[in-house]
Amino acid sequence: MKKLTLLGGVTPAQFLKEFWHKKPCVIRQAIPGFAPIISREALFEMAGRDDVESRLVTHFRQKWEMQSGPLDAIPAITKRDWTLLVQGVNLHDDAADALLRQFNFLPDARLDDLMISYATDAGGVGPHVDSYDVFLLQAQGTRRWRIGAQQDLTLQAGVPLKILQRFAPSEEFDLEPGDMLYLPPNYAHEGVAIGECMTYSIGFRAPSYQELGESFLQFMTDSIDLPGQYADAELAPTTRPAEISAAMLAQVSAELNKVQFTRDDIAIFLGEYLSEPKSSVSFEPVKRPLTLDKFMALAGKRGVRLSRKTQMLYRGELVFINGESFAVSRADKALLSVLADQRTLDGEAIATASLDVAEALHDWYRQGWLLLEK
Ligand code: SIN
Ligand code: CO
């Protein structure tokens, strides 16, 4: 695949400073001569699978309708005004994964997925905002984007998708294959297909603090440690037996206030949370796994790579993979952080692995999280 010129002569540092999370940017020929990596037929087939998230949006006779996948029927390509959206294509296809990984000047903790949309003439999903940053790469045909920085984000009532009630775009662009539009969160936009078209959305996730807080408290239930039990040796007779006494409240408050969380607790939570596979993702354990010794001998020759579906992150001496966390030594961390950043390790590096790392790699291989290079 051709390397992205991606930001059209702007360096990643300049792009982040000026545009990222702030304002839209059109990049003409981000990937010169770009050609679709997946055929229309292959995309339609993916939409029929139950391990792939997909949606069909139609706007026939001015009525918005949406159907969630797996889809057993797709409208005729000769019919106008419909869109098929397939989420997480990178989880199922090497070329899609490679395209997504070209955006690795941005952290994996933010990178979400590659969604592919296919539309017939006039197809689109209506004017809306998304809560995430997105790069919209035109893959085939032409899409007309109209965008605007409006404050009024009121949605139309009674429609099965999020459509802005009043859309007041201020700019319009026709994107051709290889062109890319970056949009920050909550920027109003509508893309309409001019003839048959395919658009790739590279989306970035940003968890809400509410979502993080709820998950963090759940995570902490496993680690809180509050010894002792309520005691009231000084109890005096009461004439108001239904009242919770101030003394009881004070004692319980003092005890519950002992629940503390450290930066380490937060780091472990965050790494596990951000590396947790989506509910639609499943791994296939290797059917007849090699023994540890055989695996390491082969890995030392061929190298290993992470499965497309694996999310591996690190922070300090903590390493996270698919929702699990490990505290590792400095030397092991040096090796594992290369695997996490590059998503591959060559044989030479593997030959230096400690027994702990060898066992971890073998375990991940057996679970289908990591593969031997061919
Ligand atoms: C599309 O590709 O059809 C929609 C993408 C978007 O507007 O977010
Ligand atoms: Co959008």
Side-chain angles (χ1 to χ4, degrees):
M1 181 186 301
K2 290 196 182 72
K3 178 76 187 162
L4 301 179
T5 49
L6 191 69
L7 303 172
V10 178
T11 65
Q14 285 166 329
F15 174 80
L16 293 184
K17 188 153 183 269
E18 189 171 349
F19 299 102
W20 178 254
H21 223 64
K22 295 175 265 300
K23 61 181 188 194
C25 176
V26 174
I27 304 146
R28 294 287 174 192
Q29 291 305 288
I31 311 181
F34 186 73
I37 54 181
I38 286 179
S39 68
R40 175 178 74 195
E41 288 68 27
L43 194 70
F44 292 0
E45 205 178 295
M46 283 184 86
R49 281 167 54 173
D50 56 13
D51 61 340
V52 176
E53 267 181 75
S54 61
R55 280 168 297 154
L56 177 69
V57 174
T58 58
H59 195 213
F60 302 147
R61 283 174 245 102
Q62 293 305 303
K63 187 171 186 283
W64 289 110
E65 283 186 277
M66 190 180 77
Q67 196 187 330
S68 295
L71 301 164
D72 45 22
I74 284 170
I77 56 168
T78 47
K79 199 165 167 62
R80 301 172 78 235
D81 228 337
W82 62 270
T83 292
L84 171 71
L85 305 135
V86 180
Q87 209 77 50
V89 178
N90 55 292
L91 299 171
H92 307 283
D93 180 90
D94 278 335
D97 177 64
L99 176 60
L100 187 72
R101 300 289 164 199
Q102 298 226 28
F103 288 79
N104 67 2
F105 61 96
L106 295 157
D108 289 347
R110 290 281 272 116
L111 191 59
D112 193 2
D113 75 336
L114 175 76
M115 177 185 86
I116 298 188
S117 73
Y118 167 88
T120 55
D121 186 40
V125 298
H128 65 281
V129 294
D130 297 306
S131 56
Y132 44 79
D133 303 83
V134 65
F135 290 94
L136 297 148
L137 172 66
Q138 192 57 23
Q140 189 193 327
T142 307
R143 187 181 285 273
R144 175 159 302 160
W145 289 99
R146 292 188 302 148
I147 67 172
Q150 66 191 64
Q151 300 294 313
D152 176 3
L153 302 183
T154 315
L155 298 178
Q156 267 183 40
V159 282
L161 53 166
K162 288 195 286 178
I163 302 214
L164 290 169
Q165 195 161 40
R166 289 170 287 273
F167 180 47
S170 53
E171 289 177 280
E172 181 177 303
F173 318 93
D174 286 355
L175 260 57
E176 306 292 340
D179 293 345
M180 191 161 76
L181 169 64
Y182 162 75
L183 291 174
N186 299 317
Y187 207 92
H189 59 283
E190 178 178 31
V192 174
I194 313 242
E196 184 183 54
C197 117
M198 280 211 254
T199 304
Y200 295 1
S201 299
I202 294 97
F204 291 81
R205 65 168 171 171
S208 72
Y209 291 127
Q210 181 66 25
E211 191 183 312
L212 282 173
E214 287 176 14
S215 302
F216 179 60
L217 289 184
Q218 240 165 15
F219 164 87
M220 285 301 288
T221 54
D222 295 337
S223 59
I224 69 168
D225 178 27
L226 285 177
Q229 204 171 356
Y230 180 69
D232 52 3
E234 310 299 315
L235 196 61
T238 180
T239 52
R240 300 202 219 196
E243 186 183 42
I244 294 173
S245 72
M248 183 178 208
L249 180 59
Q251 193 183 137
V252 172
S253 298
E255 290 302 316
L256 292 189
N257 280 329
K258 290 181 188 165
V259 176
Q260 298 284 343
F261 40 83
T262 63
R263 211 177 135 87
D264 269 357
D265 291 324
I266 298 176
I268 295 170
F269 159 71
L270 193 58
E272 291 185 2
Y273 179 88
L274 292 171
S275 65
E276 181 70 34
K278 288 188 186 157
S279 56
S280 58
V281 169
S282 61
F283 289 91
E284 233 171 84
V286 176
K287 289 218 177 61
R288 276 183 293 129
L290 300 170
T291 60
L292 174 64
D293 289 347
K294 286 210 172 111
F295 167 77
M296 284 307 283
L298 258 189
K301 284 194 199 120
R302 298 197 211 153
V304 296
R305 68 187 154 89
L306 296 178
S307 152
R308 292 186 296 258
K309 298 175 181 173
T310 286
Q311 173 87 309
M312 187 174 182
L313 304 170
Y314 59 86
R315 168 81 236 159
E317 80 284 11
L318 296 167
V319 171
F320 310 98
I321 182 164
N322 296 335
E324 294 185 4
S325 58
F326 304 86
V328 298
S329 71
R330 190 179 286 255
D332 290 354
K333 160 71 186 302
L335 196 67
L336 291 174
S337 59
V338 174
L339 175 61
D341 283 329
Q342 314 290 334
R343 302 185 64 80
T344 63
L345 264 186
D346 60 23
E348 226 171 283
I350 296 220
T352 68
S354 68
L355 181 60
D356 276 353
V357 168
E359 283 176 348
L361 296 177
H362 184 239
D363 186 35
W364 300 341
Y365 145 79
R366 282 190 319 190
Q367 297 191 66
W369 293 4
L370 171 142
L371 313 161
L372 281 164
E373 289 284 14
K374 300 245 166 55

